[in-house]
Amino acid sequence: MLFITDTGPSNLRDSGCLHNTPIFSHFPFSFFKFILFTVTVILCSSSMAGIWLLAALLLLSLSISTAAKQTYIVHMKHNTKPDSFPTHHDWYTASLQSLASTPDSLLYTYTNAFDGFAASLSDEEVALLKQSQSVVDVYEDTLYSLHTTRTPAFLGLNTDLGPLDGRHALDINQASNDVIVGVLDTGIWPESKSFSDSGMPEIPTRWKGECESGPDFSPKLCNKKLIGARYFSKGYNMASSGRGYLKKRKEIESPRDRDGHGTHTASTAAGSQVANASLLGYASGTARGMATHARVASYKVCWTSGCFGSDILAGMDRAIADGVDVLSLSLGGGSAPYYRDTIAIGAFTAMERGIFVSCSAGNSGPSIASLANVAPWIMTVGAGTLDRDFPAYAVMGNKKRFAGVSLYSGAGMGGKPVGLVYNKGGNSTSNLCMPGSLEPKLVRGKVVICDRGINPRVEKGAVVRDAGGVGMILANTAESGEELVADSHLLPAVAVGRKIGDVIREYVKSDPNPTAVLSFEGTVLNVRPSPVVAAFSSRGPNLVTREILKPDLIGPGVNILAAWSETIGPTGLETDTRKTEFNIMSGTSMSCPHISGVAALLKAAHPTWSPSAMKSALMTTAYVIDNTNSSLQDAAGSAPSSPWAHGSGHVDPLKALSPGLVYDISTDEYIAFLCSLDYTIEHVQAIVKRPNITCSRKLSNPGDLNYPSFSVVFANNRVVRYTRELTNVGAAGSTYEVDVTRLPAVQVTVNPSKLVFKNVGDKLRYTVTFVAKKGVSLNGRSEFGAIVWRNAQHQVRSPVAYSWT
């Protein structure tokens, strides 16, 4: 405990009046203590020096009282609560009051996803809390960002292909009436037809959630489909308050989605069927989610400036208590140790409670090691394309016609070519069509070439339009390669790949009078090749744990049609006044809810399976061959994709329903995995939330976790040995034989090479030995292969990534 007299001036320290005054020993160094000290100065001194000192102290106390505070998440030792406090909330509140914090300093108390609370604290208060024996650690709040029809048919979910383990796919979809998908995002637009509850039975009695009210949201808007809607804004409010560091935009605090992202992801996962859906005529047809009969619960944790860890953790904490079966989070930040990762900590508790957690991998591709949400108990989802496209064309003055994509729905620019312009300098702001970068006298009445990158794609078109341009060619650079993402532009615009973009740029430079005309063809299906890994999809390796291969798999994430908020136009720009019930978006934000919805079907089909078993079923049945019977391609280049981009492959929902074998992982095994990392006991406890963790059991290597994929890291070792255990969830009397990809640099031995499962539920182990061959120098390089267990009915495939460091 601090004593104020220890910091006072020498002429007061020994005066006899202040020396070790007992009252000060009961208060920390705070504004309240300064008030007490100031009063004592008045009583103890009438000299001019005392008066000047009083003035100085008042100014100092005022500066401390108005010092900027920010949100921190405080991890408490759950089992150290004194018996004098009836609840942990009372204990946390008293802990803050001991710091002389104001009553509104406490933002959230967590009881499920985390042991502790979130509070608005000063640097001094943080330092004092860290000194407490009851506090494990104090973490700064983290700002996370959002990772932003045809897919059911593309995934084989529109038709019943016959019995699956004695049941039909239609029966499984009906059984998902009892499955609840919790979506943490920007809220919900409850009036959307995608959340119609027509024909749905009563809400499961186990549901403990509710619909919260707001100025623009009535609880009556919820129904038997949308059974919950909550919002969490205290972390956001703190960061954007007068004392925070963000500029706050006026937002109505309610569960309503005024961004569109949350409505899009929720309807993708579990939206009801809606006939005649489209975006301004594009992608017309019947829109539906993956699990059309599952329930939806919305948790609004994201606001204008992003998603704060304290709000996310509060949303996860509430969703776990409410009774969700699946958690879908299309958001994330950078990589961090698991004990500092808000989403990873909350997801561990969810997994332990039997809740499947699906998260987006991030949109930072094609850069390597750019993943988010890499904890092994999380399903990390990358993005791929569909077999649907929206072709548009740019015809040059030299009669060459180039294909691209667009969702432009206006009147068009007619058939007459107009001038084509492009800044001939280097990578300037005008090349990128940044706001304010175009000179109207140069672009008025012309088509402008804009390089992709930096600012939003649709914003570039708005910049061209505002400068007087009549059209735009959005040309990829090397970073985005040949990936084509369609957008609902505000003026005629065509997006083209890097190769075509380079040809068009060269045409402008070489022709003294370049011209172009743009045209639009609508929607086409059965595009080949597909799927292709999206260039924006974040890539491995996993920098948090190199021995765990991430991402886990990919799902549809490019040009996805789903429900939309009617408070915002399809581009999301403030100048876009168009309204639409559906929108087409791209991102791992879109692929994540696809997997969440498929997981809801798995939960309905196999209600006793653990989240790890469900995850294994999805991963080991994923495919790596496209619709041209070739290896999955990468939109970022011409080479085939690798497991660092697509993980186990592209999701195959129907095969996942009947995987044959699964790699199951218990909570204790995850704890042994954490103990094998370079973490302290307190770090492990922060994730596991058990006070008696001793780490008496550790894995010999983090890669020895019973994971459905392999990441083999050769450092100072030439031999790596992993053991796995498979559980039979298929027929009794099943025999599997192993097939291993042979590589020139690695010798792989599997023992035994045959597994015979006599009964359903039997568990059998095997060991894989990886030996880096002598004389092969691959320092800094990587290779990829697979280990596959086969029989006549099933193929249980695990990708293998090899790294030499």
Side-chain angles (χ1 to χ4, degrees), residues 601-758:
L601 295 178
L602 272 179
K603 182 72 175 179
H606 306 285
T608 61
W609 280 10
S610 70
S612 297
M614 293 167 60
K615 184 176 180 181
S616 172
L618 290 164
M619 291 173 63
T620 61
T621 58
Y623 60 86
V624 292
I625 302 297
D626 64 24
N627 60 358
T628 68
N629 205 33
S630 301
S631 298
L632 292 179
Q633 296 297 300
D634 191 334
S638 57
S641 174
S642 79
W644 280 357
H646 63 240
S648 298
H650 192 283
V651 65
D652 188 330
L654 293 178
K655 286 187 176 179
L657 289 167
S658 181
L661 305 173
V662 295
Y663 294 88
D664 207 353
I665 307 174
S666 68
T667 300
D668 287 342
E669 289 174 283
Y670 279 124
I671 295 173
F673 161 79
L674 290 170
C675 289
S676 69
L677 305 176
D678 188 22
Y679 289 176
T680 65
I681 293 293
E682 287 75 18
H683 289 155
V684 176
Q685 289 174 339
I687 302 163
V688 179
K689 296 171 284 295
R690 294 184 186 178
N692 56 348
I693 296 295
T694 62
C695 281
S696 58
R697 181 194 169 198
K698 296 182 179 181
L699 302 181
S700 59
N701 183 303
D704 218 19
L705 182 68
N706 199 39
Y707 212 66
S709 58
F710 295 83
S711 180
V712 181
V713 181
F714 296 111
N716 297 321
N717 54 326
R718 288 185 52 249
V719 179
V720 175
R721 186 173 289 108
Y722 291 151
T723 298
R724 294 288 194 268
E725 181 181 77
L726 282 163
T727 302
N728 181 28
V729 295
S734 298
T735 299
Y736 290 82
E737 295 187 357
V738 74
D739 183 16
V740 178
T741 303
R742 307 297 173 184
L743 296 174
V746 184
Q747 178 181 332
V748 183
T749 305
V750 179
N751 185 33
S753 60
K754 179 186 289 188
L755 297 175
V756 180
F757 295 89
K758 295 181 180 180

Side-chain angles (χ1 to χ4, degrees), residues 144-390:
Y144 294 83
S145 59
L146 296 165
H147 289 157
T148 59
T149 177
R150 174 69 176 169
T151 49
F154 184 66
L155 296 176
L157 292 175
N158 270 1
T159 57
D160 186 2
L161 300 183
L164 296 164
D165 291 339
R167 288 185 290 175
H168 288 258
L170 184 60
D171 298 331
I172 292 170
N173 201 4
Q174 292 285 354
S176 66
N177 280 321
D178 198 46
V179 179
I180 302 165
V181 180
V183 181
L184 272 70
D185 213 295
T186 64
I188 201 79
W189 188 261
E191 294 87 353
S192 171
K193 296 175 184 176
S194 293
F195 307 118
S196 167
D197 63 352
S198 177
M200 295 198 72
E202 292 301 314
I203 298 170
T205 56
R206 62 185 175 85
W207 175 243
K208 297 180 178 63
E210 64 179 58
C211 275
E212 297 176 347
S213 63
D216 61 352
F217 195 97
S218 168
K220 295 179 181 179
L221 291 169
C222 289
N223 55 27
K224 296 175 185 177
K225 178 69 174 180
L226 176 62
I227 64 174
R230 298 183 185 271
Y231 68 97
F232 303 85
S233 59
K234 294 178 180 177
Y236 161 73
N237 283 333
M238 177 56 208
S240 54
S241 68
R243 296 173 294 173
Y245 57 90
L246 291 176
K247 181 180 179 181
K248 184 175 183 178
R249 291 178 58 183
K250 186 177 181 180
E251 289 192 67
I252 299 174
E253 294 189 27
S254 81
R256 183 170 292 281
D257 180 13
R258 294 185 171 275
D259 177 271
H261 193 275
T263 300
H264 199 281
T265 55
S267 61
T268 298
S272 302
Q273 294 196 57
V274 181
N276 302 315
S278 73
L279 167 61
L280 306 174
Y282 283 96
S284 59
T286 298
R288 51 156 288 183
M290 300 300 99
T292 56
H293 293 272
R295 319 285 181 154
V296 174
S298 171
Y299 297 84
K300 184 173 181 177
V301 297
C302 297
W303 303 85
T304 304
S305 20
C307 324
F308 286 87
S310 56
D311 294 333
I312 295 170
L313 199 53
M316 298 181 81
D317 197 72
R318 190 67 255 178
I320 293 169
D322 286 347
V324 302
D325 300 293
V326 176
L327 270 176
S328 186
L329 293 88
S330 291
L331 49 89
S335 295
Y338 305 129
Y339 59 86
R340 297 298 299 268
D341 186 334
T342 301
I343 296 174
I345 292 172
F348 191 94
T349 298
M351 172 276 301
E352 197 170 12
R353 304 280 184 93
I355 301 169
F356 183 94
V357 183
S358 173
C359 294
S360 47
N363 298 335
S364 299
S367 300
I368 65 169
S370 54
L371 292 165
N373 301 316
V374 296
W377 47 90
I378 290 174
M379 174 65 87
T380 309
V381 186
T385 65
L386 291 175
D387 64 343
R388 177 181 65 194
D389 217 342
F390 309 101

